[in-house]
Amino acid sequence: MLFARNDGYIISILNSINHRNSLLCINADRAFLKEIDGSCQTPIAAYAIIKDKKILLRTSVMHPEGKESYALEESCELDAGEQLGKEMAQKTKQDAAHILSLILKHI
């Protein structure tokens, strides 16, 4: 079933079942994965949780043969998760470029 984005009734139903903390975490890890080009076929991971009223984001990239990995863990205010995901992806691109290039060769 399709509905218009401005359908107030449907939006109100969806908002009533939305779990805000889950959405904040999902937005943070998806921002990382989108920025770094991660998918279900790549050994790239992101996992966000709420801890002490902050978003804690853990990310990692793994050598396709498991020989090496690179991981980060950072936290931010609840409203800054997407930005944190993007920043962590940029840092990973810089610090783990050699692992990322191997991943691209294997997909």
Side-chain angles (χ1 to χ4, degrees), residues 10-27:
I10 298 295
I11 291 171
S12 70
I13 291 172
L14 294 175
N15 283 336
S16 73
I17 62 172
N18 181 47
H19 186 261
R20 182 176 182 268
N21 286 354
S22 295
L23 180 63
L24 293 171
C25 290
I26 289 166
N27 288 342

Side-chain angles (χ1 to χ4, degrees), residues 25 27-32 45-49 54-59 72-76 81-86 88-89:
C25 290
N27 288 342
D29 61 37
R30 286 189 181 166
F32 173 83
Y47 178 67
I49 61 171
K54 292 189 176 224
I55 294 176
L56 175 66
L57 180 59
R58 296 179 179 128
T59 64
L72 289 175
E73 182 176 305
E74 301 283 339
S75 63
C76 67
E82 287 184 61
Q83 184 61 36
L84 178 64
K86 292 175 185 178
M88 289 175 70

Side-chain angles (χ1 to χ4, degrees), residues 30-93:
R30 286 189 181 166
F32 173 83
L33 294 169
K34 181 179 179 183
E35 187 75 20
I36 207 159
D37 248 354
S39 73
C40 295
Q41 286 79 37
T42 58
I44 300 172
Y47 178 67
I49 61 171
I50 305 290
K51 184 175 182 181
D52 299 326
K53 297 183 182 179
K54 292 189 176 224
I55 294 176
L56 175 66
L57 180 59
R58 296 179 179 128
T59 64
S60 64
V61 295
M62 178 73 72
H63 185 285
E65 297 171 4
K67 296 178 181 178
E68 184 180 3
S69 66
Y70 176 83
L72 289 175
E73 182 176 305
E74 301 283 339
S75 63
C76 67
E77 298 300 320
L78 293 177
D79 62 348
E82 287 184 61
Q83 184 61 36
L84 178 64
K86 292 175 185 178
E87 290 169 4
M88 289 175 70
Q90 290 301 319
K91 181 163 178 47
T92 300
K93 286 179 180 180

